Amino acid sequence: KLNYSMNKLLLRTKQEVGSGKTVVLAMSGGVDSSVAAYLLRYQGYKVIGAFMKNWSDTKNKLTGECAWKEEKRYAMKICLKLKIPLATFDFEDEYKKEVVNPMFKSYGAGLTPNPDVLCNEKVKFPLFWKKAKKLGADYMATGHHIRKNPVNRAAKQYKMLRAMQEGKDQSYFLHRLTQKDLEKTLFPI
């Protein structure tokens, strides 16, 4: 099944060539962002990885080291292997203000917000894009498992669809994205 999915992705990418345009990819060092980096390079984009530092309060129980440092090392290894540069975007203050504080306030009111939805809406898409543009980006990209289809290319209208593999679908986490967000973002997986 994995080979079928990868072949489908590679076939799709041959039709969507990047023509050397620059894309800044949210690079966690995990499998999804790593595959996204590979696919974007395969499509002909100039890829720049960008590691997002959002939280430094979590420490590895064995080493005592902040977890984000280990995650960044994974991202660095993947970028080195793919021969793409890696930038670091520090959004820790914004993440606490826009995601963590409202989340705890909501918990206090008896609600159960989803921090990933808040992060995508308030941090990842608006703030990441601002920094990506400073690096010369034509687009930004993530390793989210969703599909984006144009409804009207001239009017720059898109619709977000569930992922091909239902079990991997992440459209729920992105349901608050705007048309502007969808216009400038690539979802290669």
Side-chain angles (χ1 to χ4, degrees):
K1 188 160 185 163
L2 179 60
N3 286 341
Y4 170 76
S5 297
M6 187 57 93
N7 286 337
K8 222 172 168 175
L9 286 170
L10 291 175
L11 286 173
R12 185 179 81 183
T13 60
K14 288 182 180 180
Q15 299 166 0
E16 304 168 6
V17 178
S19 302
K21 290 187 182 258
T22 300
V23 60
V24 177
L25 168 69
M27 190 75 197
S28 68
V31 172
D32 294 338
S33 63
S34 301
V35 170
Y38 174 82
L39 291 172
L40 289 165
R41 288 217 41 228
Y42 182 85
Q43 292 171 349
Y45 289 99
K46 176 186 172 203
V47 180
I48 300 170
F51 178 82
M52 291 175 54
K53 179 182 173 258
N54 293 339
W55 189 257
S56 64
D57 291 349
T58 306
K59 298 198 184 302
N60 181 307
K61 290 180 182 181
L62 295 175
T63 66
E65 180 181 63
C66 291
W68 72 268
K69 291 180 180 180
E70 184 177 9
E71 293 165 3
K72 184 177 177 184
R73 278 195 295 276
Y74 287 132
M76 290 169 68
K77 286 178 184 179
I78 296 299
C79 287
L80 185 64
K81 187 109 175 140
L82 294 175
K83 298 180 179 154
I84 61 174
L86 179 69
T88 300
F89 295 166
D90 187 342
F91 296 132
E92 190 163 7
D93 291 339
E94 296 88 344
Y95 186 79
K96 283 181 181 174
K97 180 183 171 198
E98 299 291 340
V99 178
V100 176
N101 294 343
M103 182 179 67
F104 283 117
K105 187 175 180 179
S106 293
Y107 286 155
L111 302 173
T112 54
N114 185 312
D116 293 331
V117 172
L118 288 173
C119 180
N120 287 326
E121 177 188 22
K122 303 288 188 178
V123 179
K124 185 177 284 181
F125 286 82
L127 302 180
F128 189 97
W129 177 240
K130 282 181 187 174
K131 291 210 179 219
K133 284 193 299 188
K134 289 180 182 176
L135 295 176
D138 297 295
Y139 300 101
M140 64 177 274
T142 74
H144 285 99
H145 289 258
I146 71 153
R147 292 178 295 146
K148 176 182 94 170
N149 282 355
V151 174
N152 181 336
R153 283 188 201 268
K156 298 179 181 176
Q157 293 176 330
Y158 301 89
K159 64 180 174 180
M160 189 171 31
L161 303 170
R162 296 178 64 81
M164 296 291 279
Q165 291 181 294
E166 281 292 313
K168 297 248 182 194
D169 178 64
Q170 295 175 312
S171 59
Y172 171 78
F173 298 108
L174 303 173
H175 76 273
R176 291 186 180 168
L177 296 187
T178 66
Q179 286 296 312
K180 191 174 179 179
D181 294 329
L182 291 172
E183 176 189 348
K184 66 184 176 234
T185 308
L186 302 176
F187 301 101
I189 295 187

